[in-house]
Amino acid sequence: MNTYSVKELLSSDHLHKEVTVNGWVKTFRSNRFIALNDGSTINNIQCVVNFEDFDENLLKQINTGAALKIVGTLTESQGKGQNVEIQVKEVIVHGGADPETYPIQPKKHSLEFLREKAHLRVRTNTFSAIMRMRSALSFAVHQYFQKNGFYHVHTPIITGSDAEGAGEMFRVSTLDSKNPPLTAEGTIDYSEDFFGKETNLTVSGQLEAETYAMALGKVYTFGPTFRAENSNTSRHLAEFWMIEPEVAFNDLDANMDLAEDFIKDVLTYVLENCEEDLKFLEQRLLDEEKSKPQAERSDMPLIEKLKFVVDNTFKRVSYTEAIDILRSCKPNKKKQFKYIIDEWGADLQSEHERYLVEKHFKCPVILFDYPAKIKAFYMRLNEDQKTVRAMDILFPGIGEIVGGSQREERLDVLKEKIKALDIDEKELWWYLDLRKFGTATHSGFGLGFERLVLFATGMGNIRDVIPFPRTPQNAEF
């Protein structure tokens, strides 16, 4: 006898056959109707039990959360809400769930409550939809790069360099925390540590990916990255996943073309392959926003918003032009922005980025040529000596979703920038070697995967789009 997924059975291809299905009970009504779900789809399959034919003690074990094996005949449904159902012949309880203590009951739970039950929250419709979407997006990322001639590179998770120069890194050490070895100056002697030097969890695979791009041409990384930023906002995680392509011989324009094409491709994939989950998440968002003031609601439904990105050409605007727009806009003049834009050189905040996308241009925006002082050392310095060949992609509801640049390929300029930032040249000797031996124009960008999932699912908090969020004071599960 064939065992099927709920998704397969709902396709109706197996009518009037005896089938087996495994799953978890969502609800059990009137001692007769079991709503069963196995995670393969947002939809449940109705299993109809003739309770007179089953032992009462068995029926008492069929509670929300219990794992069951159902054997029966797939038939056209007699009731509303489903096309097919199973007329149950046999029920086997794999594992029960005490209704007094099982926390995921068939009622509305707050997202905050469910974060405390992250090991079980994926059994709710919302989180099962999010995680199927996350899986589909992950597949789409790899598919895009593979079909476009990129090679997947696994860059180190443990590193001795700070790619961003931010200094907010998690230390990796095997030294005795209570009695570490000390130097003559009284500082910790990392030469006695496992790697013989101070090491950290990586904030980016970019620098290492650059080395491979300068031999393989087109590469990408897709792996975990870590930032020890003590931030509890809805946009920050301490552990998250980054997508980072690097391409030899690409300048900034080609880099912007790549990023726009990539984002449109992966969003098209979920629009075409995740219709049921998207419709559910769209309705969830509409229901959630009914309680919000009109000004805080989304301008468009979720699916329309994804199509808006896929169907629109991204507007390309220089940082300088953006500053002029922001400086003279009504929210800035009336001091409605939390961070007022007074002068060129300001680091744009999410409120400014969203204004440009949602109010001014009304389409996704790519900002380029940022002030050198607010960007990383590896970005190519422009001829004006003030700006660098950087680019950020801004999305509605999110703000910045992609950050990238043309990399500085000139050895002398890169050495000057490293020196100005007081970075030890010896730490980056291998990175400088790329500029000594066969240097060339090259570019890349980074996309925080969770921000992409956040946008695609319409969720409001980044902790809800990763299975087990890592944030300040929280490393549960």
Side-chain angles (χ1 to χ4, degrees), residues 97-216:
D98 180 2
E100 298 300 317
T101 56
Y102 180 58
I104 312 298
Q105 291 298 320
K107 63 177 184 178
K108 189 171 183 180
H109 296 288
S110 72
L111 296 174
E112 290 79 9
F113 170 81
L114 290 171
R115 281 177 213 134
E116 297 170 5
K117 305 286 186 285
H119 60 308
L120 293 171
R121 67 178 180 172
V122 75
R123 295 195 192 179
T124 65
N125 285 343
T126 296
F127 284 93
S128 67
I130 291 167
M131 293 308 158
R132 279 188 296 269
M133 288 274 293
R134 183 183 170 102
S135 176
L137 282 165
S138 178
F139 174 80
V141 167
H142 286 291
Q143 178 178 257
Y144 176 84
F145 288 123
Q146 293 294 328
K147 73 184 180 185
N148 283 287
F150 283 71
Y151 298 103
H152 186 199
V153 176
H154 297 104
T155 52
I157 290 173
I158 298 171
T159 179
S161 65
D162 177 0
E164 300 296 325
E168 295 166 331
M169 303 179 79
F170 290 102
R171 187 170 295 135
V172 175
S173 176
T174 59
L175 295 177
D176 184 344
S177 60
K178 293 180 180 177
N179 188 30
L182 302 176
T183 64
E185 292 77 29
T187 59
I188 295 175
D189 185 1
Y190 286 105
S191 68
E192 294 193 28
D193 207 346
F194 186 90
F195 293 107
K197 61 188 286 188
E198 192 170 356
T199 53
N200 306 283
L201 295 177
T202 188
V203 298
S204 168
Q206 179 207 312
L207 303 190
E208 292 88 353
E210 279 186 56
T211 68
Y212 270 69
M214 297 304 282
L216 296 177

Side-chain angles (χ1 to χ4, degrees), residues 52-70:
E52 295 94 343
D53 298 339
F54 288 85
D55 184 87
E56 188 178 340
N57 290 324
L58 174 68
L59 296 178
K60 285 179 179 177
Q61 297 178 62
I62 304 175
N63 298 305
T64 297
L68 305 182
K69 175 181 179 180
I70 298 279

Side-chain angles (χ1 to χ4, degrees), residues 201-461:
L201 295 177
T202 188
V203 298
S204 168
Q206 179 207 312
L207 303 190
E208 292 88 353
E210 279 186 56
T211 68
Y212 270 69
M214 297 304 282
L216 296 177
K218 297 196 288 188
V219 303
Y220 72 104
T221 74
F222 189 178
T225 50
F226 308 85
R227 303 241 170 128
E229 183 179 354
N230 191 15
S231 174
N232 264 307
T233 76
S234 61
R235 293 285 184 271
H236 288 91
L237 291 166
E239 175 187 88
F240 54 99
W241 288 68
M242 283 285 285
I243 301 155
E244 296 175 297
E246 290 289 329
V247 185
F249 313 114
N250 262 16
D251 62 9
L252 186 68
D253 288 329
N255 198 37
M256 290 191 280
D257 291 342
L258 173 66
E260 181 172 346
D261 189 59
F262 164 69
I263 288 174
K264 287 180 174 180
D265 188 271
V266 297
L267 291 180
T268 298
Y269 181 85
V270 293
L271 281 167
E272 292 175 351
N273 292 277
C274 302
E275 184 180 2
E276 289 180 340
D277 288 325
L278 276 171
K279 284 181 177 177
F280 172 83
L281 290 167
E282 178 173 89
Q283 188 58 51
R284 187 211 70 84
L285 184 59
L286 288 170
D287 293 342
E288 181 185 73
E289 291 194 333
K290 285 175 184 174
S291 62
K292 292 182 179 179
Q294 191 67 42
E296 292 180 26
R297 298 180 190 179
S298 302
D299 289 342
M300 56 185 81
L302 177 60
I303 294 171
E304 188 182 330
K305 189 167 65 171
L306 300 191
K307 289 179 178 176
F308 169 83
V309 170
V310 168
D311 296 339
N312 272 294
T313 300
F314 294 8
K315 178 73 176 176
R316 299 185 184 186
V317 184
S318 72
Y319 167 89
T320 300
E321 184 183 342
I323 284 291
D324 290 341
I325 291 166
L326 291 166
R327 199 160 30 193
S328 58
C329 75
K330 192 184 291 183
N332 197 60
K333 285 184 173 179
K334 293 194 171 183
K335 301 196 183 303
Q336 291 168 343
F337 283 146
K338 184 179 178 182
Y339 299 94
I340 303 303
I341 298 291
D342 289 323
E343 56 188 29
W344 189 93
D347 201 351
L348 300 186
Q349 304 297 318
S350 180
E351 60 181 344
H352 308 130
E353 295 166 343
R354 289 184 61 181
Y355 174 83
L356 293 169
V357 173
E358 297 166 27
K359 305 298 182 189
H360 189 83
F361 291 108
K362 299 189 187 305
C363 68
V365 174
I366 308 181
L367 292 188
F368 62 90
D369 286 354
Y370 279 79
K373 287 182 180 178
I374 62 173
K375 288 296 183 180
F377 74 91
Y378 50 73
M379 298 184 176
R380 194 186 200 279
L381 191 65
N382 282 320
E383 303 310 315
D384 61 12
Q385 303 294 304
K386 291 195 312 177
T387 60
V388 288
R389 300 250 75 194
M391 66 96 173
D392 287 346
I393 298 182
L394 314 180
F395 264 24
I398 294 270
E400 183 198 334
I401 194 165
V402 166
S405 72
Q406 185 175 320
R407 313 312 190 188
E408 183 56 77
E409 86 282 10
R410 298 165 295 184
L411 179 64
D412 56 337
V413 178
L414 188 58
K415 288 177 78 168
E416 282 179 24
K417 292 176 85 173
I418 286 173
K419 186 178 179 182
L421 290 168
D422 202 28
I423 298 171
D424 188 353
E425 217 177 275
K426 292 175 185 175
E427 290 293 314
L428 290 174
W429 65 271
W430 51 275
Y431 189 66
L432 294 171
D433 266 6
L434 296 181
R435 280 74 182 167
K436 292 179 185 176
F437 309 119
T439 191
T441 298
H442 61 289
S443 299
F445 62 83
L447 168 61
F449 183 55
E450 280 71 29
R451 290 206 175 182
L452 179 65
V453 181
L454 199 69
F455 179 77
T457 58
M459 299 303 291
N461 193 312

Side-chain angles (χ1 to χ4, degrees), residues 83-101:
N83 295 322
V84 296
E85 62 190 18
I86 298 174
Q87 295 295 326
V88 178
K89 294 181 178 177
E90 184 182 2
V91 177
I92 295 171
V93 179
H94 291 301
D98 180 2
E100 298 300 317
T101 56

